[in-house]
Amino acid sequence: MPRSTAEAPRAWQRMLSGRRLDLLNPSPLDIEIEDIAHGLARVARWNGQTKGDHAFSVAQHCLLVADIAFHLDGGMNRAARLAALLHDAPEYVIGDMISPFKAALGVDYKAFEIRLMAAIHIRFGLPAQSTIKLETFIKKADRIAAYLEATQLAGFDVAEAEKFFGRPRGLDGEGTAKFFKLKPLAPNDASALYVKTFKKLAETP
């Protein structure tokens, strides 16, 4: 039987936790860290064009950004470190789109992303929107992460990666700091590590 023209299209997604997330008006009450971790661990960075037995997931990218941010500023408080870990959390719903494609989609896409991020922040006790200072700092860590991923996993040479992302001082992408030697994890392992890191930060005074 054909759908009634008056019937609104489904605008929610069922999560494995059982939550139904309204995509047009996301509620903090329908957001669970396990759903975020599960989704991000199955979204590939670089459209999957990376070395290794597994894709390098957005979950691992977020962990990397949080680690780099703390490496840059060991005095970061719990809320700032959580914001770094969650900086790409909306991608558990919308996927990892390259920046030019986001720009092509226009402001409606960005508005949706902002609404979802606000709901995620509120769910976990953070301000709906980070300060410009914190956003800028996390973006710096994000660009360093992109450089490391590009040179270690995505086939970029140093000159090419430096052109697009800048070359971070003290981190050449080949492991001058062995802490940042990257190895893609299986999805379940990446998801578990994401949840473990979140809970550790959430319990930190």
Side-chain angles (χ1 to χ4, degrees):
M1 187 176 189
R3 177 185 298 191
S4 168
T5 55
E7 183 181 348
R10 178 170 67 89
W12 54 264
Q13 179 179 345
R14 181 186 293 279
M15 302 297 171
L16 286 181
S17 65
R19 299 288 189 185
R20 289 187 179 187
L21 182 66
D22 186 333
L23 303 180
L24 299 180
N25 186 28
S27 167
L29 298 177
D30 291 324
I31 293 169
E32 301 292 348
I33 194 61
E34 290 80 8
D35 292 331
I36 292 174
H38 183 88
L40 295 184
R42 286 156 177 79
V43 177
R45 289 277 289 172
W46 307 95
N47 285 333
Q49 297 299 308
T50 51
K51 302 173 185 176
D53 295 332
H54 306 284
F56 190 77
S57 68
V58 173
Q60 276 194 268
H61 167 75
C62 290
L63 288 162
L64 177 60
V65 170
D67 285 342
I68 291 172
F70 189 63
H71 178 80
L72 295 174
D73 179 6
M76 288 181 74
N77 61 29
R78 177 198 69 87
R81 295 183 70 185
L82 271 180
L85 181 68
L86 294 167
H87 80 280
D88 276 342
E91 293 181 9
Y92 89 107
V93 173
I94 60 181
D96 182 24
M97 296 185 186
I98 60 175
S99 296
F101 190 52
K102 289 182 179 181
L105 289 176
V107 68
D108 287 345
Y109 171 88
K110 189 63 179 178
F112 168 71
E113 188 176 34
I114 290 172
R115 283 198 301 272
L116 181 53
M117 179 62 90
I120 291 168
H121 273 207
I122 292 169
R123 170 65 177 86
F124 300 120
L126 299 175
Q129 186 172 359
S130 297
T131 64
I132 294 176
K133 181 179 179 181
L134 180 57
E135 285 186 353
T136 301
F137 180 70
I138 292 173
K139 187 61 180 177
K140 177 180 178 180
D142 189 47
R143 288 178 66 84
I144 292 173
Y147 175 90
L148 294 172
E149 294 166 17
T151 52
Q152 292 188 34
L153 301 174
F156 286 62
D157 60 34
V158 168
E160 188 178 21
E162 185 175 358
K163 175 183 176 182
F164 290 110
F165 310 112
R167 185 169 184 175
R169 294 179 180 179
L171 298 172
D172 64 2
E174 291 298 330
T176 53
K178 293 183 179 179
F179 185 73
F180 297 116
K181 192 68 176 178
L182 308 183
K183 181 181 179 181
L185 297 175
N188 286 346
D189 293 335
S191 178
L193 183 57
Y194 189 96
V195 171
K196 179 180 179 180
T197 302
F198 171 87
K199 289 182 175 180
K200 183 178 179 180
L201 291 175
E203 293 169 0
T204 300

